Amino acid sequence: MTPADARAGEALPAAARRAFPARSPFGAWLALLGRELRLALRHPADTLAAVMFFVLVAALFPFGVGPAPETLARLAPGALLAAALLAALLPLDRMFGADAEDGTLDQLLLSGLGPSAVAAAKAAAHWLTTGLPLLLATPVAAAMLNLPVEAWPAAMAALGLAAGFLSLLGTAGAALTLGARRGGVLLPLLVLPLAIPAVIFGAAGIEAAAAGLEARPYLLLLSALLAAALPLAPLAAGAALRTE
Amino acid sequence: MLEARDLACLRGERAVFAGLSFQLGAEGALLLVGANGAGKSTLLRLLAGLLRPAAGELLWDGEDALADRAAHAARLRYLSHQDALKPALTARENLLLFARLWGGDVDTALAALDLLPLAELPARVLSSGQKRRLALARLALAPAPLWLLDEPTVGLDAASVERLGLLLARHRAAGGMVLAATHLPLPLPGAGELRL
């Protein structure tokens, strides 16, 4: 039983208290995450659009810079990161918008989970339905950019971590721009500058792996970014949702 | 007991209402009536803790209700204007999350609004009255002392209004309170009226 439950219980007559069985907050959070994933499964077009966007942007580079293999391989790390982050931005502007329009957001804010927990579930669902598919599509994009095969594992790790960082930042951005006119335009302007460190460390890691060096230090720095955003972004998003 | 003292709410620069006071005890029911735009829905959102009052206070058993919003949320059910349903999920799946959050049995709640035959249909194919019934089925999941209902009977047929009447009677018999904004007659015998 959480302290909030206990306080709610004290204000109630004994009969009503018995009618309010304590539920595990984590179980409730998982139920919300499960519902988000089920919804994403019913609308697979959103996930597919992000993956196709990622692969197509990666496919544009050879046309733009010419098919010289060395030039492409030199560009590949940065291009992969930038394309993945742009693709992961696509579903963000509907993250809270759809829920706000159909009244679900009010119910979630009153669900007893707390706004930050709701935001954390949204971020986790975004990573699972966008970040993870992008990570799986990385070899396809990496092949088109002529990234050496030795660097593919590092590229997948860097993309997974960077997409997680963007899911968290993007959730805070989506909560902040909820209800703003042209929120869909505002959101990338707000989120992308903050994602620059992820691009730097992620691309450096992939580059190191391609050159036969250790990618681990860069991936650890990327993980540190993720670890910092993990508690902070849901708190910021929760505060933004509360004052909406 | 729920008590409002001199509540006021601003929307933009305009006062929606001000100096609003009322009391509601166990088994009590209060109808909010008034013209369109009088602030009925705004008052319900404020009572749910989704909006901050510009002035005044809201007391629950003599203590500030909005000081701990999570605790306040735990003691109420809010039925908004919108049905808060996901078109892609079936009727049963729409209720499932709330059953996991609050407890209660999905089938019992569906049966209370005669929705069992529609349980496996996606909410997208339901009629507007059926969607309203599905939103109302959330009330039948697990008890909470305070129900805030915004136009609960919009789109309902006579039989469904009767079923809602049963739910309301059971809720009040167990000591629950109801605040409902409405333009239509509701099955709430002995309800007070608050004109906005």
Side-chain angles (χ1 to χ4, degrees):
Chain A
M1 199 178 206
T2 66
D5 288 339
R7 274 193 302 275
E10 277 155 23
L12 298 174
R17 209 175 311 156
R18 248 175 282 123
F20 285 103
R23 283 181 195 262
S24 109
F26 189 62
W29 188 84
L30 282 181
L32 176 56
L33 180 61
R35 175 170 148 128
E36 292 293 325
L37 294 180
R38 197 189 295 246
L39 274 171
L41 272 178
R42 301 275 159 90
H43 296 290
D46 288 351
T47 296
L48 269 176
V51 172
M52 292 304 292
F53 182 86
F54 171 57
V55 172
L56 281 175
V57 170
L60 281 181
F61 275 87
F63 293 106
V65 300
E70 310 78 51
T71 326
L72 269 181
R74 177 77 191 79
L75 274 177
L80 273 179
L81 255 298
L85 292 190
L86 289 177
L89 273 178
L90 285 181
L92 278 178
D93 67 322
R94 296 300 293 159
M95 181 181 256
F96 293 109
D99 283 353
E101 277 160 26
D102 68 15
T104 304
L105 188 60
D106 288 341
Q107 297 297 335
L108 292 180
L109 290 179
L110 294 174
S111 66
L113 270 176
S116 300
V118 170
K122 288 278 186 184
H126 178 264
W127 187 80
L128 288 171
T129 59
T130 312
L132 196 61
L134 286 179
L135 188 159
L136 297 177
T138 302
V140 182
M144 281 191 284
L145 290 168
N146 191 34
L147 187 74
V149 180
E150 310 85 77
W152 286 12
M156 291 176 76
L159 243 69
L161 291 169
F165 185 58
L166 190 91
S167 293
L168 288 162
L169 285 182
T171 304
L176 277 169
T177 55
L178 177 65
R181 237 177 305 165
R182 317 278 298 154
V185 181
L186 200 56
L187 179 64
L189 296 181
L190 208 66
V191 170
L192 282 179
L194 295 172
I196 290 174
V199 178
I200 295 175
F201 295 131
I206 303 174
E207 224 170 279
L213 301 170
E214 188 77 65
R216 212 174 106 88
Y218 301 103
L219 295 181
L220 284 177
L221 279 168
L222 205 48
S223 311
L225 280 179
L226 188 66
L230 206 56
L232 293 178
L235 280 177
L241 286 179
R242 213 188 259 284
T243 54
E244 195 259 319
Chain B
M1 182 160 95
L2 183 74
E3 185 181 354
R5 282 192 195 153
D6 291 323
L7 282 183
C9 184
L10 299 175
R11 199 184 284 150
E13 295 291 293
R14 200 177 65 91
V16 184
F17 51 76
L20 189 75
S21 301
F22 64 85
Q23 287 190 353
L24 191 62
E27 302 183 26
L30 195 58
L31 292 177
L32 307 177
V33 291
N36 298 135
K40 302 186 291 293
S41 300
T42 309
L43 177 59
L44 286 177
R45 288 182 66 79
L46 197 152
L47 295 177
L50 291 167
L51 285 178
R52 284 242 171 244
E57 51 188 351
L58 186 68
L59 304 177
W60 180 268
D61 289 336
E63 287 173 36
D64 186 3
L66 300 178
D68 183 346
R69 289 211 246 176
H72 188 55
R75 57 187 168 235
L76 64 87
R77 296 281 179 270
Y78 171 60
L79 178 83
S80 65
H81 231 22
Q82 300 115 320
D83 295 321
L85 302 173
K86 289 293 171 197
L89 298 181
T90 67
R92 185 190 302 280
E93 288 166 344
N94 263 297
L95 279 188
L96 206 58
L97 171 67
F98 296 96
R100 294 275 300 275
L101 287 169
W102 301 331
D105 180 52
V106 173
D107 281 342
T108 319
L110 286 169
L113 273 302
D114 192 26
L115 284 165
L116 271 181
L118 310 172
E120 307 306 332
L121 286 181
R124 131 173 60 83
V125 304
L126 299 183
S127 76
S128 60
Q130 288 167 337
K131 282 182 189 157
R132 200 62 181 155
R133 270 155 63 196
L134 187 50
L136 285 166
R138 273 201 292 271
L139 299 172
L141 275 174
L146 176 63
W147 285 8
L148 304 170
L149 312 177
D150 200 345
E151 305 266 5
T153 54
V154 162
L156 291 191
D157 54 27
S160 305
V161 173
E162 211 168 287
R163 279 194 202 91
L164 173 62
L166 281 176
L167 271 184
L168 288 168
R170 215 185 310 149
H171 169 63
R172 289 172 71 190
M177 308 167 205
V178 184
L179 260 126
T182 186
H183 293 293
L184 303 165
L186 284 185
L188 276 172
E193 203 176 273
L194 183 67
R195 189 161 285 278
L196 286 172

